[in-house]
Amino acid sequence: MKLSRLWADILIVLIYGGAQISSLIPAVIYKGQNLSASEMMMKVIPYMIGAFILASILVYFINRSITNETQLERLPKERWLYTVMWIIAGFFMALVAQALMNMINIYVLHQPAESQNTTDIMAVAKQNPLFIIIISLAGPFLEEFVFRKVIFGELYEFIRLPRWAAFLIAGTLSGLIFAAAHMDFDHTLIYLGMAFVFAGLYVATRRLIVPILAHMMMNSFVVIMQFTMGDKIEEAAKQMKSTAQIIWHLLI
């Protein structure tokens, strides 16, 4: 089956949206059973995992059926040796961007250090570790197709300006949509920073697999750190904030 890029983009976004609302299925099935929030969550997770895996498979094959690639995708791909290097570098770049944007978010914009979105996701993962499949694998896979390939890629193709200007505009708009999709508006700047890193990796290599794997590695690293050192990370963040506040008061 062959598809035009427009129809493929529409299908990819719809499939991603369908995976996101898959939790409504058990809500309907188990309605009236007076389940607690925790019990309902345990019912929801298998449906969500299945939906995200199925969505990933469908998106992969839809992408392979596209007949008219963007100009960016038609450019020569980065060689595989350098691709691997970009993936590893991208992982560290994403972590650095996240840390820098988080510092600005806390000390300049005075937003909370803790992300409610991350806290909620990790709470679910600790209840049912299988949820990590979505956090570390299926989630990043689908997000890179939707937010980098479809939204960023189409904007980057459409904007008729020098490529650096098109990158900034497309990166900003797609990054804001990426942030809004996570419903964590206090940390918009952090999502925006990560979106620029992943978009940059895509443009630099012309291979979507690069931001996909960098994103997967970053999410997996965060999960591991939260599982093994969650309490210590929270305490260190509080100490850093207190120290920064003292220095700020001394300076002014």
Side-chain angles (χ1 to χ4, degrees):
M1 180 182 69
K2 297 298 182 180
L3 289 172
S4 70
R5 197 173 75 244
L6 174 62
W7 282 109
D9 288 347
I10 292 171
L11 285 173
I12 288 170
V13 172
L14 289 176
I15 289 169
Y16 173 71
Q20 291 285 359
I21 64 172
S22 60
S23 58
L24 295 177
I25 298 172
V28 172
I29 293 175
Y30 300 106
K31 183 181 179 181
Q33 294 190 14
N34 297 319
L35 298 175
S36 67
S38 178
E39 289 172 333
M40 180 58 77
M41 181 56 66
M42 292 303 101
K43 299 288 188 181
V44 164
I45 290 174
Y47 286 91
M48 289 191 69
I49 292 172
F52 269 76
I53 292 174
L54 177 60
S56 298
I57 294 170
L58 291 175
V59 164
Y60 172 78
F61 283 107
I62 288 171
N63 181 64
R64 288 179 61 88
S65 70
I66 294 174
T67 56
N68 55 330
E69 294 180 320
T70 62
Q71 184 178 352
L72 173 64
E73 293 169 323
R74 292 195 298 271
L75 292 173
K77 304 292 190 290
E78 184 64 89
R79 287 180 293 175
W80 277 109
L81 174 61
Y82 294 109
T83 296
V84 173
M85 294 171 64
W86 271 111
I87 291 168
I88 297 169
F91 162 65
F92 288 105
M93 289 164 63
L95 290 179
V96 170
Q98 188 178 47
L100 289 175
M101 294 301 102
N102 195 37
M103 290 176 67
I104 295 172
N105 211 44
I106 295 170
Y107 305 126
V108 178
L109 302 180
H110 307 292
Q111 297 294 338
E114 298 80 15
S115 166
Q116 191 59 48
N117 180 60
T118 301
T119 300
D120 293 343
I121 288 173
M122 289 309 305
V124 174
K126 288 175 181 178
Q127 282 187 295
N128 189 336
L130 286 176
F131 193 67
I132 295 172
I133 293 172
I134 294 178
I135 302 172
S136 297
L137 299 175
F141 182 87
L142 289 173
E143 287 180 353
E144 291 308 307
F145 268 97
V146 172
F147 298 107
R148 247 59 67 189
K149 179 179 172 60
V150 174
I151 300 177
F152 169 82
E154 293 298 342
L155 288 170
Y156 189 70
E157 175 89 352
F158 176 77
I159 297 170
R160 299 304 178 187
L161 291 173
R163 290 298 81 190
W164 64 268
F167 177 80
L168 289 177
I169 296 171
T172 300
L173 292 175
S174 62
L176 290 173
I177 298 170
F178 178 58
H182 287 81
M183 301 295 291
D184 189 5
F185 299 105
D186 288 342
H187 295 83
T188 294
L189 189 63
I190 298 169
Y191 289 105
L192 191 58
M194 291 187 293
F196 265 107
V197 169
F198 296 139
L201 293 172
Y202 181 34
V203 171
T205 63
R206 283 79 62 192
R207 293 185 186 275
L208 191 66
I209 190 65
V210 176
I212 287 174
L213 291 180
H215 195 162
M216 286 181 177
M217 290 167 67
M218 186 197 73
N219 281 20
S220 298
F221 177 79
V222 171
V223 168
I224 292 169
M225 294 299 290
Q226 287 288 339
F227 264 90
T228 59
M229 301 179 65
D231 295 337
K232 293 180 180 179
I233 292 172
E234 185 176 346
E235 184 61 31
K238 290 179 180 178
Q239 290 178 357
M240 285 179 63
K241 187 170 184 178
S242 299
T243 302
Q245 288 172 342
I246 292 170
I247 295 172
W248 175 255
H249 287 304
L250 288 173
L251 290 173
I252 62 172

